[in-house]
Amino acid sequence: MKVTVASKAGFCNGVRRAVQTAEALAEKYGAIYVLGELVHNENVTEHLRSKGVICLKLDSVDSLKAGDVALIRAHGIPKQIEEELKARGVTLFDATCPVVKRNQQLVMQRAEQGDDVIIIGDKNHDEVIGLQSYAGDRVTVVDSESLPQIGSKNTSIVFQTTVLSQKFKKIQDFVKNFQKNNKNLVEIFNTICYTTEAMQNEARSLASTSSAVLVLGSRTSANTLRLFEVAKRQNPRTFFAESADEVRMQISKIKDFESVSIVAGASTPPWLIREVTKLMSDTQTQETEVIKEATLQEQPATTPATEPTEPTASTEPTTMDELMSATPHGGYTEYKPGKRVKGTVISVGADGIVINIGGKNDGFIDKSEASLDGEYNPADYKLGDELQVIILSSKSGQVQCSKKQVDKIIREDEEAEKALNSGEFSLKMTEVVKGGLRGKLGRYTIFVPASQIRMGYVSNLEEYKDKTLRLVLMPPKEKAAPEGENGEGEAPQEEKPQKKSRYLFASHRLLLEKEKKEREDTFWNSIHVNDIITGKVKRFTSFGAFVSVKGFDCLAHISELSWNKITDPSTVLTIGESYDFVVLKLDRETGRISLGYKQLQPKPYEVAKEKYPVGTIIKGRVERIFSYGA
Ligand code: SF4
């Protein structure tokens, strides 16, 4: 006997996600409630109950009180119940299938913009009851066997996810005709999830090519019973079983068929399919084949009309796999710790926030990870809010996320941008690398080439490690350090930016040069010939004295120090002492300033006149004798 398991057997993605979330929450909280039936399968319900998951009928939710933890099932619940439970303080998590969620949001948006909304589906179905609640009083439900009554207003038509594609086509043709004679815009949205239809198509195909078919699942599941009907119509040797024990009881009837296909409804758990597959392959020694890929392509809706006068139909993804493939995260989200993703708030509770991050599993922001200040107030968050988070870990079907970490990065980025835009900023240089120093400013890496650390040669970069430098960003053409400076002036190869925008070159030297120039301008503008200025004697040479005036070196030539002939400046001035000088000459080009000291001293003959009036008797030593006197 050859056993083939349908590629689409068992839990659809929406159900799998809801079951995994329920298990994870029960593990965390001990016991949780599911609003409405999670899966139409008693085995699964029993399995979940053993783990602390209790399914509540929607008319019993009044029994829930503040602090209870509850989960919204895959096909959603009415909006009013959700709001009431939240107001009551129930911690609510949302496992609404993303396909259904998308429909709810679409319906709400269309009703808000004033459209009449028509839902094609079963008005008693959980999904449709929930969907209606999002459209307020602008909604009508029409079963898929009937044609809708369209009024004179703009109208949006959506479908219950399980409506068959032929019904969509029928409504599309009807609307096309309607639009020929009517001016109001009627838009059709293909909101069907083709999972169910694809399962039926595959069951039909396998039934026609196998000797027998075994349908696994609950007799209370409409979806599974429909699969049985489809297969049976194609192949009368179709059997039904709810458990492995039921298969054992029928095995004598099945085992002699040459080929048997196993199909299962969207509520049939994977462990039952595995158990039955093993049982059948143990019964026979022959090959058991498990189909890995779909044998049939899902049937997309008819291509929508694009003429403005014709009804429009959505070309949005229509299976959960397609929907997820179309997420900005590129298919199933890779929940890599440290990855930054966007999510939409789908429920807010006392312990934290659940967000849809576009993958198979939802993200959970624990209240301690919600905000930088550590304060958590559920009222600050509302459904539909878009949050940026960082993945912390992924386990048990729920992805732990942190909003706080993203907020920290955003704040650091803002501070970094502010610092960078201010022209000058201070930064601790934390690393010595080849050719310079490196530091971090938020998420920016700042590299300071060795030649840009100061206005001279830096022989030991280590001296600058952990020092804070005042810096300016370098203009692009100045990124490379001047040739020859430090012998390693060019920024090294390995320092080339990986992400240009976050790797910046900066200089302390440019800042120093700029400040020096400003000081020089101020000095040169403030000094003029004949000004009397005060200067401090710095050093002597054989030709004069160097004097510092406001930090600038000036020269007082030896001939300008005294009216007498001197050969040593120290006979007039003392190093370290300050004196008044007169400015004799200025040359901005060469940067030279000549000072005079003697000009501010009395001339010798004027002194002599006062000191030695005519008639005074004085003693003198003969210094030199000439022909004309001594
Ligand atoms: Fe499953 Fe499709 Fe329903 Fe979602 S909409 S729960 S994927 S059948």
Side-chain angles (χ1 to χ4, degrees):
M1 177 177 57
K2 180 179 173 185
V3 178
T4 303
V5 181
S7 65
K8 294 193 182 302
F11 284 175
C12 65
N13 284 323
V15 169
R16 186 185 311 115
R17 176 177 177 269
V19 170
Q20 283 174 348
T21 308
E23 285 176 343
L25 289 174
E27 196 182 310
K28 182 170 177 186
Y29 293 99
I32 67 147
Y33 297 93
V34 172
L35 305 174
E37 204 168 11
L38 194 60
V39 184
H40 297 292
N41 186 300
E42 302 75 23
N43 283 334
V44 179
T45 307
E46 194 46 49
H47 163 82
L48 289 172
R49 195 178 298 132
S50 71
K51 296 197 162 203
V53 179
I54 302 147
C55 292
L56 272 186
K57 287 194 173 150
L58 284 192
D59 54 15
S60 314
V61 295
D62 282 349
S63 60
L64 292 178
K65 53 191 185 311
D68 283 343
V69 178
L71 177 69
I72 299 173
R73 64 189 171 194
H75 279 160
I77 60 170
K79 198 171 160 224
Q80 297 81 352
I81 295 183
E82 188 176 332
E83 285 167 356
E84 196 202 309
L85 289 175
K86 270 188 201 149
R88 211 186 293 166
V90 173
T91 305
L92 211 51
F93 292 89
D94 193 353
T96 306
C97 171
V99 180
V100 177
K101 194 93 207 159
R102 182 191 61 167
N103 296 355
Q104 290 173 345
Q105 281 160 0
L106 173 68
V107 159
M108 186 165 70
Q109 184 223 328
R110 289 285 152 162
E112 276 172 5
Q113 77 179 35
D115 280 14
D116 283 342
V117 176
I118 296 174
I119 301 171
I120 309 290
D122 175 359
K123 68 175 187 312
N124 297 317
H125 192 281
D126 297 338
E127 179 196 332
V128 176
I129 293 169
L131 202 53
Q132 259 181 290
S133 70
Y134 282 82
D137 54 6
R138 311 199 69 89
V139 65
T140 324
V141 180
V142 177
D143 71 67
S144 59
E145 301 304 322
S146 315
L147 291 172
Q149 299 261 329
I150 299 173
S152 56
K153 287 189 161 184
N154 287 350
T155 305
S156 293
I157 301 179
V158 302
F159 294 77
Q160 183 183 340
T161 53
T162 46
V163 165
L164 297 179
S165 57
Q166 305 98 283
K167 311 283 180 187
F168 174 84
K169 178 76 177 70
K170 186 183 81 179
I171 303 288
Q172 191 180 40
D173 290 343
F174 166 75
V175 171
K176 218 172 187 174
N177 279 330
F178 176 88
Q179 287 278 261
K180 283 180 187 158
N181 305 315
N182 293 275
K183 289 220 159 46
N184 55 325
L185 181 67
V186 181
E187 287 182 275
I188 297 189
F189 292 89
N190 186 350
T191 54
I192 298 170
C193 170
Y194 284 95
T195 303
T196 311
E197 199 165 330
M199 277 179 165
Q200 290 175 12
N201 286 341
E202 189 176 19
R204 195 175 292 115
S205 169
L206 288 172
S208 64
T209 53
S210 308
S211 315
V213 179
L214 177 58
V215 179
L216 296 177
S218 167
R219 288 185 175 85
T220 60
S221 161
N223 169 282
T224 310
L225 290 177
R226 179 87 185 120
L227 278 185
F228 179 75
E229 276 171 34
V230 166
K232 182 100 179 163
R233 202 172 299 145
Q234 209 68 34
N235 187 334
R237 295 169 300 278
T238 296
F239 302 86
F240 194 101
E242 281 195 331
S243 65
D245 282 344
E246 248 188 80
V247 176
R248 268 186 210 97
M249 286 188 315
Q250 303 181 74
I251 199 77
S252 57
K253 290 190 232 162
I254 301 170
K255 70 180 172 58
D256 293 330
F257 287 115
E258 196 185 323
S259 59
V260 176
S261 289
I262 296 178
V263 295
S267 56
T268 307
W271 58 84
L272 176 61
I273 299 168
R274 277 198 299 274
E275 195 182 356
V276 170
T277 307
K278 183 167 184 313
L279 169 70
M280 292 183 63
S281 53
D282 287 350
T283 306
Q284 293 292 323
T285 53
Q286 284 149 310
E287 181 185 9
T288 301
E289 182 188 348
V290 180
I291 298 175
K292 294 264 196 302
E293 301 295 331
T295 51
L296 293 168
Q297 293 298 312
E298 294 173 3
Q299 302 300 307
T302 314
T303 309
T306 50
E307 295 293 323
T309 51
E310 294 197 341
T312 54
S314 161
T315 54
E316 295 286 300
T318 47
T319 67
M320 186 149 166
D321 283 345
E322 286 167 352
L323 184 74
M324 291 187 171
S325 304
T327 62
H329 313 297
Y332 290 116
T333 301
E334 216 190 305
Y335 305 122
K336 224 169 152 189
K339 188 175 174 185
R340 186 167 159 174
V341 297
K342 271 188 196 160
T344 309
V345 175
I346 51 179
S347 89
V348 182
D351 286 341
I353 308 154
V354 182
I355 54 171
N356 176 6
I357 48 177
K360 274 198 287 190
N361 300 319
D362 291 332
F364 179 68
I365 308 167
D366 188 85
K367 62 181 179 184
S368 63
E369 292 294 332
S371 69
L372 269 178
D373 59 10
E375 299 288 320
Y376 173 64
N377 180 3
D380 292 344
Y381 305 90
K382 55 182 191 314
L383 290 189
D385 279 356
E386 197 174 74
L387 302 178
Q388 288 198 47
V389 294
I390 279 181
I391 306 287
L392 298 177
S393 66
S394 169
K395 57 177 185 179
S396 306
Q398 201 166 57
V399 186
Q400 301 298 320
C401 305
S402 172
K403 176 178 165 293
K404 180 167 90 172
Q405 289 193 13
V406 175
D407 290 349
K408 184 165 175 272
I409 291 171
I410 292 171
R411 190 161 78 179
E412 284 176 355
D413 277 357
E414 282 170 0
E415 285 170 1
E417 297 286 345
K418 204 169 144 198
L420 294 172
N421 290 335
S422 69
E424 179 191 322
F425 58 98
S426 294
L427 185 67
K428 189 172 184 179
M429 306 316 299
T430 49
E431 266 184 284
V432 172
V433 292
K434 193 178 170 200
L437 303 167
R438 233 173 14 195
K440 292 290 277 181
L441 183 65
R443 284 188 298 156
Y444 289 93
T445 299
I446 308 291
F447 175 64
V448 181
S451 61
Q452 297 299 317
I453 294 172
R454 67 178 190 202
M455 288 196 290
Y457 176 74
V458 176
S459 58
N460 183 8
L461 291 171
E462 287 293 338
E463 279 177 15
Y464 286 87
K465 185 166 185 283
D466 293 330
K467 291 253 162 62
T468 298
L469 294 183
R470 289 186 304 121
L471 298 168
V472 282
L473 288 182
M474 290 171 70
K477 64 180 169 48
E478 289 179 52
K479 279 179 186 172
E483 286 274 353
E485 197 80 40
N486 274 14
E488 50 188 0
E490 291 293 326
Q493 283 300 316
E494 58 267 42
E495 291 305 331
K496 282 204 174 134
Q498 304 261 311
K499 280 186 181 173
K500 204 175 165 199
S501 59
R502 300 243 169 241
Y503 197 104
L504 303 171
F505 289 69
S507 167
H508 180 53
R509 178 187 180 141
L510 287 179
L511 199 58
L512 295 176
E513 285 174 348
K514 179 172 161 269
E515 290 171 348
K516 182 168 175 263
K517 166 116 185 12
E518 283 167 2
R519 277 200 312 276
E520 283 175 355
D521 287 346
T522 310
F523 176 73
W524 285 97
N525 291 334
S526 68
I527 196 164
H528 310 91
V529 172
N530 294 329
D531 281 356
I532 295 171
I533 42 117
T534 304
K536 192 173 186 179
V537 179
K538 305 290 279 185
R539 61 193 164 91
F540 295 141
T541 67
S542 57
F543 53 85
F546 279 99
V547 177
S548 172
V549 179
K550 295 181 185 171
F552 288 82
D553 275 359
C554 307
L555 177 68
H557 194 269
I558 196 162
S559 61
E560 305 294 347
L561 293 182
S562 173
W563 291 109
N564 298 320
K565 182 172 168 53
I566 58 165
T567 54
D568 181 1
S570 69
T571 55
V572 179
L573 305 172
T574 304
I575 288 179
E577 291 294 316
S578 294
Y579 303 88
D580 282 347
F581 297 89
V582 63
V583 179
L584 301 177
K585 241 194 295 178
L586 296 169
D587 188 340
R588 176 89 198 247
E589 291 276 296
T590 59
R592 285 191 187 145
I593 300 167
S594 300
L595 303 179
Y597 178 71
K598 67 180 186 188
Q599 290 78 359
L600 301 179
Q601 310 308 316
K603 289 185 178 166
Y605 290 106
E606 284 168 8
V607 177
K609 216 164 119 187
E610 286 164 20
K611 207 170 167 187
Y612 310 110
V614 173
T616 312
I617 298 167
I618 54 161
K619 266 190 184 173
R621 188 163 62 91
V622 177
E623 285 282 326
R624 291 184 295 279
I625 296 177
F626 301 100
S627 56
Y628 49 86

